[in-house]
Amino acid sequence: MRSRSSGLFVVSLLSACAHVQGDPAAYGEAARVRVANASVYTLCGIHMRPKGSFARGDDLLREGRRVRTGHSFDLELVPGTYHVTFLDCSGTPVLDQPAVELAGAVELLVYSDAPPGGDRPSQGRTRLALPTVGIGGGH
């Protein structure tokens, strides 16, 4: 696997985009993932590691970036099953899901109280609603 990394760049006031190590194109269509924050937490760390890997991996929000409530963050990954961990700004895990299947265009909607019911996922994306720790079936 070739290693490729590119910088984090802002695409709009509400979203940002990053590419992680590896070349998703080498595995066919990349998993295009949007992390949409509908929780009460500001996300200061996003870690996604392939299922079966024990290392947490790099923070995909490098350089002090944050995902505030109502904002989103876009990234591309090699398609597969990932252990997904989101951290608040004190470094405390607010979401920890051990087996999230990521392929195609996916929106990971993280929420605190109840999953938002009226809005629709971003155009062309499949939504996976994930509760924060201790809420609605979270850890």
Side-chain angles (χ1 to χ4, degrees), residues 7-50:
L8 188 68
F9 46 92
V10 175
V11 221
S12 75
L13 293 176
L14 296 179
S15 64
C17 182
H19 297 275
V20 296
Q21 286 187 342
D23 186 357
Y27 296 88
E29 183 180 347
R32 294 175 318 283
V33 180
R34 172 165 292 153
V35 175
N37 187 4
S39 77
V40 297
Y41 303 100
T42 295
L43 304 178
C44 290
I46 294 177
H47 298 270
M48 295 186 189
R49 67 179 185 251

Side-chain angles (χ1 to χ4, degrees), residues 68-133:
R68 291 176 169 52
T69 302
H71 293 221
S72 63
F73 179 80
D74 292 342
L75 55 102
E76 289 184 353
L77 298 169
V78 172
T81 304
Y82 286 84
H83 187 129
V84 176
T85 305
F86 298 158
L87 307 175
D88 68 11
C89 294
S90 70
T92 303
V94 296
L95 182 131
D96 189 40
Q97 295 287 329
V100 178
E101 185 67 32
L102 300 175
V106 179
E107 179 181 81
L108 297 180
L109 176 71
V110 57
Y111 65 91
S112 294
D113 299 324
D119 63 338
R120 296 178 182 214
S122 304
Q123 184 175 9
R125 294 183 186 268
T126 301
R127 175 177 284 168
L128 299 175
L130 304 172
T132 55
V133 174

